[in-house]
């Protein structure tokens, strides 16, 4: 029997970035045991606008929004199994880690981090796979 | 029934990224019949020393460490389903492939190669998702 494939949506419509900006991706897909989230960037949950800041502030905003996204789909940060972090510069690796630790204090997910060029002057993008 | 999320401990002291470098990440997570590995770099598995070298030497070390991690977790290189191979320069693509073929000679996994900046001046980082 094949697993069902279901699009997930954030409870807060302002955080439905792909819908609001008419981008060709879903916030996330639930399939089988897993939820696969699209890469998330720093977005203000009050206005839905991109919220550019420091690596520290963007990481915090993304992980708060990611918690909301996962909880909207019945999952949570504690159920994340794999994270990919994209940073504008690997010189900022420890700045990201400092905030990241607050969200994953014990038994953190497997993770890969790399330095890439991001769009719109953003400094951080994070995607994840979580248990549903 | 919800699937369990199980932490896979590093198979050697040098591969404990949390203890060696304070990185908030688990070596791997087992969930839903899969094993999600953190991105692996050329670390000495006993001492944790960063063994910077060529793409060839780093890739050999990464695959040896990945093999150790997967086999300790009851899986193997042959059970990998997807790989993200990160290299520091696209020019080294064929150099990576030459080593890669030695470890995954038959029916190799799905793969994406990213040309990115890797932490700590490494030239290669590989993360794998394998059948548990």
């Amino acid at each position: 029997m094949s697993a069902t494939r279901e699009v997930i949506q954030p409870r807060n419509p302002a955080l439905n970035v792909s819908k609001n900006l008419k981008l060709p991706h879903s916030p996330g897909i639930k399939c089988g045991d897993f939820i696969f989230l699209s890469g998330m960037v720093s977005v203000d949950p009050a206005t839905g606008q991109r919220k550019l800041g420091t690596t520290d502030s963007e990481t915090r905003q993304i992980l708060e929004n990611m918690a909301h996204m996962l909880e909207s789909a019945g999952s949570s940060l504690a159920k994340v199994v794999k994270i990919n972090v994209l940073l504008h510069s690997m010189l900022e690796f420890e700045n990201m880690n400092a905030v990241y630790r607050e969200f994953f204090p014990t038994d953190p997910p497997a993770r890969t981090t790399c330095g890439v060029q991001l769009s719109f002057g953003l400094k951080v993008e994070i995607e994840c796979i979580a248990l549903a | 029934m919800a699937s369990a999320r199980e932490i896979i401990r590093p198979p050697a002291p040098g591969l404990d990224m949390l203890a060696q470098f304070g990185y908030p990440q688990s070596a791997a997570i087992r969930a839903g019949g899969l094993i999600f590995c953190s991105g692996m770099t050329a670390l000495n598995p006993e001492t944790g020393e960063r063994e910077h070298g060529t793409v060839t030497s780093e890739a050999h070390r990464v695959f040896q460490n990945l093999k150790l991690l997967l086999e300790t977790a009851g899986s193997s290189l042959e059970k990998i389903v997807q790989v993200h191979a990160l290299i520091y320069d696209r020019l080294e693509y064929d150099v990576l492939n030459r080593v890669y073929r030695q470890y995954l000679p038959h029916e190799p996994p799905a793969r994406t190669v990213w040309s990115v900046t890797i932490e700590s001046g490494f030239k290669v980082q590989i993360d794998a998702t394998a059948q548990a």
Side-chain angles (χ1 to χ4, degrees), chain A residues 85-106:
Chain A
V85 180
L86 284 60
L87 288 179
H88 75 110
S89 166
M90 284 306 282
L91 294 173
E92 300 249 45
F93 190 32
E94 272 312 311
N95 295 334
M96 180 275 294
N97 277 337
V99 177
Y100 188 95
R101 279 187 198 96
E102 298 176 26
F103 290 84
F104 298 101
T106 53

Side-chain angles (χ1 to χ4, degrees), chain A residues 2-8 28-36 130 132:
Chain A
S2 74
T4 58
R5 175 187 184 278
E6 181 190 343
V7 173
I8 66 160
I29 299 283
K30 186 191 281 190
C31 186
D33 288 337
F34 297 107
I35 293 172
F36 302 80

Side-chain angles (χ1 to χ4, degrees), chain B residues 107-128:
Chain B
E107 295 187 342
R111 186 184 75 169
T112 305
V113 177
W114 295 343
S115 179
V116 298
T117 311
I118 301 167
E119 56 156 289
S120 312
F122 280 117
K123 295 193 173 79
V124 179
Q125 181 169 40
I126 291 179
D127 88 22

Side-chain angles (χ1 to χ4, degrees), chain A residues 28-53:
Chain A
I29 299 283
K30 186 191 281 190
C31 186
D33 288 337
F34 297 107
I35 293 172
F36 302 80
L37 292 192
S38 288
M40 297 182 70
V41 296
S42 175
V43 169
D44 187 331
T47 65
Q49 298 297 305
R50 293 186 186 107
K51 193 176 167 189
L52 279 66

Side-chain angles (χ1 to χ4, degrees), chain B residues 20-116:
Chain B
Q20 294 288 344
F21 308 115
Y23 296 171
Q25 61 191 49
S26 297
I29 303 273
R30 185 188 286 118
L34 296 172
I35 293 175
F36 299 88
C37 301
S38 284
M40 299 184 75
T41 49
L43 297 178
N44 183 296
E46 299 312 316
T47 65
E49 184 188 350
R50 293 178 171 115
E51 296 184 337
H52 295 105
T54 60
V55 165
T56 299
S57 72
E58 289 193 14
H60 275 295
R61 176 56 93 186
V62 170
F63 269 110
Q64 288 158 10
N65 290 346
L66 180 59
K67 183 173 191 286
L68 179 65
L69 173 64
L70 288 173
E71 289 181 357
T72 304
S75 183
S76 66
L77 292 180
E78 289 71 31
K79 290 188 172 182
I80 297 174
V81 295
Q82 188 187 29
V83 167
H84 295 142
L86 284 55
I87 53 176
Y88 79 111
D89 190 328
R90 200 87 201 172
L91 291 173
E92 300 261 33
Y93 184 70
D94 287 333
V95 180
L96 169 74
N97 282 341
R98 192 169 304 179
V99 179
Y100 195 95
R101 283 190 190 94
Q102 296 174 36
Y103 291 88
L104 299 165
H106 307 296
E107 295 187 342
R111 186 184 75 169
T112 305
V113 177
W114 295 343
S115 179
V116 298

